[in-house]
Amino acid sequence: MSAATGVSAPPGHRQLYAAARDEGPAAALRALLDRHGPHALDGGAAGHAVLPEPAGPRAGRVLRRYPPPAGPVVLLRRAPDTPAPAPPALLWIRLGLTAGLRTACLARLGARTSGDGTILRHQLVKAQAAEAYAAELELTAHATTLTPAGATTALLRHLHSQVTRTDRAWLRLLGAHGFLREGPGGIAEVSELLADVYLPAEEER
């Protein structure tokens, strides 16, 4: 269950996925800005933005700052006067963050002793880790087949919801440590913010 096992991002998103997996949200967001332009993350539909610091000149009120390892990343309140980034790019960033969470989780559980072995060797823990990993593989396989025409709002919301569920499964395995903003919890929170801020509005029925 290494960071790369069973997961292969398509060429167009491989850099974003790898940056998110190996370096965290700030690096991945900078890579997205380099690819789509300096204003690609300026504002979501509700008037918020998630940006790495420093991100050049910006107008807006800082609502929240995230320290490393999730940051330096800020949540801003600003006018939604620019288009959001391509949804598939955000999905692959989130999947990369999930892979990073998995790696951190397995490393921590594999290093902590419990009885005659490590926590990771406990049958219940192994079963929960396997379930979370299977969900991640299913998501990445689905994302690989996603086309612009097929990326409906409903499908994107479903996929992002599944990413959030998978992240929370890894965090639960870490116990209280998993919910620290200065640790994996901060990374998962920034990942969820990306979906909350930049997903398209609900389609009208």
Side-chain angles (χ1 to χ4, degrees):
M1 270 191 232
S2 69
T5 301
V7 176
S8 179
H13 300 298
R14 198 165 291 158
Q15 180 191 8
L16 298 179
Y17 176 86
R21 180 193 64 201
D22 300 333
E23 302 177 66
L29 294 177
R30 289 191 191 97
L32 188 148
L33 290 170
D34 288 343
R35 176 178 298 182
H36 293 285
H39 300 291
L41 291 166
D42 274 3
H48 295 89
V50 182
L51 293 169
E53 284 194 313
R58 64 173 189 267
R61 180 164 58 93
V62 175
L63 301 178
R64 200 174 304 161
R65 277 190 169 87
Y66 291 87
V73 171
V74 292
L75 172 66
L76 295 175
R77 174 71 178 176
R78 64 190 308 168
D81 54 0
T82 55
L90 288 178
L91 182 61
W92 279 105
I93 286 177
R94 294 199 67 201
L95 288 169
L97 295 176
T98 299
L101 284 174
R102 165 168 46 85
T103 300
C105 179
L106 294 178
R108 183 175 177 85
L109 296 179
R112 299 188 68 187
T113 58
S114 175
D116 295 332
T118 65
I119 293 178
L120 190 57
R121 293 178 64 87
H122 288 198
Q123 191 60 38
L124 180 59
V125 173
K126 285 198 296 184
Q128 291 174 336
E131 183 177 350
Y133 185 53
E136 181 187 341
L137 290 179
E138 183 178 352
L139 277 166
T140 54
H142 199 157
T144 300
T145 65
L146 195 62
T147 63
T152 65
T153 297
L155 177 57
L156 286 170
R157 288 190 178 279
H158 172 72
L159 292 175
H160 279 280
S161 176
Q162 293 299 105
V163 172
T164 297
R165 288 183 59 184
T166 302
D167 288 350
R168 291 178 181 179
W170 288 119
L171 293 182
R172 283 194 296 272
L173 283 169
L174 289 169
H177 174 75
F179 294 91
L180 296 176
R181 180 174 284 186
E182 294 77 12
I187 293 175
E189 186 176 348
V190 170
S191 179
E192 289 189 40
L193 272 177
L194 291 175
D196 291 342
V197 169
Y198 294 113
L199 271 181
E202 292 279 5
E203 295 175 336
E204 294 185 4
R205 295 182 181 275

